[in-house]
Amino acid sequence: MASSKDPIVCHVCGFKNEPNTERCVSCGARLEAVQVEYTAEEEAARANQQEGFSILWVIVAFVIYVALQGFIIGVLPFVIPTYDPQGFAGLAISVAVWFFGGIAVGFISPGKTFLEPAVGALVAAIPTIVYLKWSTPDGFEPSLIAYLVGGAMGVMISLFGAFLGEQGQRMTRGHKK
């Protein structure tokens, strides 16, 4: 059993709180009076498991992705006439948006919320695919499956970015390792 001077680890987000704290400083969850002891193997298994799901962070991720993708596919072609949002440059910039957007949301969200950016990316992929399919120039018409695969890649890349953001959060904010 933990002594009264040991930090209290939040059961929701894993943040290490000062002893005798009633609510988690990171996520606000009520801290349990009884401490659960885990073996090193159980602790390692729990380290990267998501606990709960927050629609708020799905919305935040969705807004970030839609705003940035809107700029990339809607504004940049007017600013840079040679820019093709469906070419290699457009794909490379989109990959960066999904990846760094996932890192940002994973880092700023409290606790383990790495699924939310992926769900936000999935929802944001829908208007992106619709817009790209609608705005495709004549003579260049990728199949719907090509767009769906591209959207799935965005979801996977954002999930990986969110996981890295969570790792950064744990290293910088005192979360358990």
Side-chain angles (χ1 to χ4, degrees), residues 64-134:
I64 289 171
Y65 293 137
V66 166
L68 292 174
Q69 283 297 106
F71 178 76
I72 290 167
I73 64 176
V75 176
L76 275 183
F78 292 109
V79 176
I80 305 170
T82 58
Y83 173 74
D84 177 14
Q86 294 186 12
F88 180 75
L91 180 61
I93 293 171
S94 291
V95 165
V97 164
W98 298 113
F99 181 67
F100 289 110
I103 287 176
V105 175
F107 187 77
I108 63 174
S109 63
K112 299 174 192 160
T113 54
F114 51 86
L115 290 180
E116 285 83 341
V119 173
L122 178 65
V123 176
I126 295 167
T128 303
I129 290 169
V130 168
Y131 178 80
L132 287 173
K133 188 81 172 140
W134 170 72

Side-chain angles (χ1 to χ4, degrees), residues 17-97:
N17 294 277
E18 294 295 320
N20 302 325
T21 306
E22 288 186 33
R23 294 209 172 261
C24 178
V25 175
S26 177
C27 71
R30 188 172 212 46
L31 297 174
E32 297 176 356
V34 178
Q35 293 289 310
V36 178
E37 295 289 327
Y38 293 106
T39 65
E41 184 178 297
E42 290 172 327
E43 193 65 40
R46 289 178 41 91
N48 295 317
Q49 290 180 354
Q50 177 145 342
E51 298 169 350
F53 187 84
S54 172
I55 194 71
L56 170 68
W57 292 105
V58 171
I59 294 168
V60 168
F62 171 78
V63 169
I64 289 171
Y65 293 137
V66 166
L68 292 174
Q69 283 297 106
F71 178 76
I72 290 167
I73 64 176
V75 176
L76 275 183
F78 292 109
V79 176
I80 305 170
T82 58
Y83 173 74
D84 177 14
Q86 294 186 12
F88 180 75
L91 180 61
I93 293 171
S94 291
V95 165
V97 164

